[in-house]
Amino acid sequence: MSKTEERQFRVALVGTDSLRAKEIKSLLSRGQFPIKSIEFYDPGVEEEYSKLTDFGDEPKVIHHPDPYLMEGLDLVFLAADRETNRRFGMLSREKGYRAIDLEESFADSPEVPVVVAGVNDSLLGREEVRLVANPHPVTIFLSHVFSAIQTSYQIGRALAMVLQPVSAYENEGIEELAEQSYALLSSSSLSRKVFSEQIAFNLLPGVEKAGSDGFSAKEKQIIQELKRVLTPGYALSLSLVQAPVFHVYSIMVYVELTRDAGLSELERVFKKKAIFKLFPADSTEQISNLKVAGEEKIFIGHLKKDQSLPGSFWLWVAADNLTIGSALNALEIARRMLGLA
């Protein structure tokens, strides 16, 4: 066994209740990262022993996060509220640990690298990189898609229509969709807390407040993250639509290549990458949220060659926002930051 394989790390998770926190905890508990010890912290905990969790087969106490408790840690996953994440993220250099923000708390901080593992992770080899932002799930999915295409072709323009699941709004979004669905089927009154309009059996083209140009802050965030990860020399835009589904982002992508290509040629681009599960044009299977939920790959399929313009294609992209869209990317970032990959 090599020295690298023998290394184990002291890890902490700050914030334990979010969906992303639970997913990274699940991956860590399955032995997908060499852990010497792990501690759990939550800003909502004020008294010792007031909140418990488990890791593997052992009970663990969740403590209130304090800077002195961060001493001696190697790696900290930040999955709490924005204020807490930013506080303990900025402490990473002083306390000597590496930190990965899971909740997009540093989306507006250009000094904090936004990293998609396998696309722009070469910068993680620099010693001075102590804090990294795990980007929005859509940024992760589209970065892989566009990066794969660019290994063989030059993109002239790319557009995406994103169908967003209610889990983007945590358990509150999931509960509201479930409650509204039950209420409609039982002719009961609807409650609205997360979404201003009915979400059950409905589509909402605008959920968050739009700016003067009509785009929401979240749409602008994803576009900016994509530009930081890919540094594209082509036009790139997207729009979010809120869908009545619990998990999985589904994305209709349109790309224009600078030279023409055949459908089978574009399919070969995705066959080369292990991160994709390709459904070829002649496949009788449909890509559906049911197939994709909980999976660890980006599903690609239903490719169409648009005859109106040479080199233009439509493709369907679907991926789980908690696995490949968050935890797996964060875990791969951690491996690279600590020299395990």
Side-chain angles (χ1 to χ4, degrees):
M1 185 178 291
S2 70
K3 291 183 178 180
T4 299
E5 290 173 324
E6 292 174 354
R7 293 173 65 193
Q8 291 186 316
F9 301 92
R10 293 157 295 183
V11 180
L13 174 61
V14 179
T16 57
D17 293 334
S18 73
L19 295 176
R20 298 181 191 186
K22 292 174 182 176
E23 187 65 32
I24 195 73
K25 177 172 172 278
S26 175
L27 284 182
L28 292 171
S29 69
R30 299 204 298 267
Q32 297 198 20
F33 190 83
I35 293 175
K36 182 177 183 180
S37 65
I38 186 166
E39 301 297 333
F40 298 96
Y41 303 102
D42 197 293
V45 174
E46 296 297 340
E47 297 181 14
E48 193 171 7
Y49 307 117
S50 63
K51 194 172 181 180
L52 294 172
T53 187
D54 62 85
F55 187 77
D57 297 323
E58 297 183 6
K60 298 285 291 187
V61 177
I62 302 175
H63 299 279
H64 184 81
D66 285 300
Y68 77 90
L69 295 172
M70 302 293 121
E71 301 285 353
L73 291 172
D74 298 302
L75 177 66
V76 177
F77 292 101
L78 303 170
D81 60 277
R82 175 184 168 88
E83 181 180 349
T84 301
N85 290 344
R86 290 183 69 89
R87 180 188 180 197
F88 287 94
M90 298 310 292
L91 278 172
S92 59
R93 182 166 298 281
E94 176 186 332
K95 299 297 182 182
Y97 56 77
R98 310 274 181 168
I100 301 172
D101 171 36
L102 299 176
E103 299 290 341
E104 302 161 43
S105 306
F106 292 90
D108 57 351
S109 303
E111 71 278 8
V112 178
V114 174
V115 175
V116 175
V119 178
N120 71 325
D121 50 17
S122 59
L123 56 82
L124 295 178
R126 301 202 303 262
E127 178 63 29
E128 67 270 19
V129 177
R130 289 273 166 182
L131 171 63
V132 172
N134 200 45
H136 191 280
V138 173
T139 302
I140 295 172
F141 306 148
L142 292 182
S143 291
H144 281 292
V145 170
F146 296 146
S147 176
I149 292 173
Q150 286 188 283
T151 59
S152 300
Y153 302 97
Q154 184 177 345
I155 298 174
R157 179 166 65 164
L159 306 172
M161 176 65 72
V162 180
L163 299 181
Q164 177 171 266
V166 295
S167 53
Y169 296 93
E170 293 291 324
N171 284 314
E172 292 80 4
I174 293 173
E175 290 168 3
E176 186 153 314
L177 174 56
E179 290 169 2
Q180 285 189 6
S181 299
Y182 177 79
L184 286 166
L185 293 172
S186 60
S187 301
S188 304
S189 59
L190 295 179
S191 64
R192 297 188 186 95
K193 297 177 182 178
V194 178
F195 305 103
S196 59
E197 302 285 341
Q198 174 187 318
I199 184 57
F201 309 106
N202 199 14
L203 290 167
L204 302 176
V207 178
E208 299 182 4
K209 184 179 178 181
S212 58
D213 58 359
F215 283 87
S216 69
K218 186 63 65 178
E219 289 168 323
K220 292 177 181 178
Q221 174 196 324
I222 297 169
I223 292 170
Q224 288 305 311
E225 286 181 345
L226 283 166
K227 289 179 178 179
R228 291 178 64 185
V229 172
L230 297 170
T231 57
Y234 52 87
L236 171 64
S237 188
L238 60 82
S239 184
L240 290 174
V241 174
Q242 184 60 54
V245 295
F246 292 111
H247 298 289
V248 177
Y249 277 85
S250 299
I251 311 171
M252 177 60 80
V253 177
Y254 171 78
V255 291
E256 290 179 7
L257 309 180
T258 57
R259 65 180 177 88
D260 201 11
L263 204 59
S264 60
E265 293 175 292
L266 191 61
E267 287 180 344
R268 278 197 291 272
V269 166
F270 300 112
K271 288 179 181 177
K272 296 176 183 177
K273 302 283 186 177
I275 197 169
F276 299 117
K277 182 175 177 62
L278 175 68
F279 284 58
D282 59 357
S283 174
T284 57
E285 281 192 89
Q286 296 273 344
I287 295 177
S288 70
N289 287 50
L290 291 175
K291 285 189 178 79
V292 175
E295 295 295 324
E296 299 184 354
K297 290 183 180 291
I298 299 171
F299 285 56
I300 303 282
H302 309 287
L303 274 70
K304 303 173 183 177
K305 180 172 171 57
D306 197 323
Q307 300 301 323
S308 65
L309 186 69
S312 58
F313 295 87
W314 295 88
L315 55 149
W316 190 251
V317 178
D320 190 289
N321 44 309
L322 299 178
T323 56
I324 190 68
S326 179
L328 288 168
N329 190 68
L331 208 57
E332 200 56 38
I333 289 172
R335 291 191 181 104
R336 283 162 165 72
M337 290 181 82
L338 294 169
L340 297 176

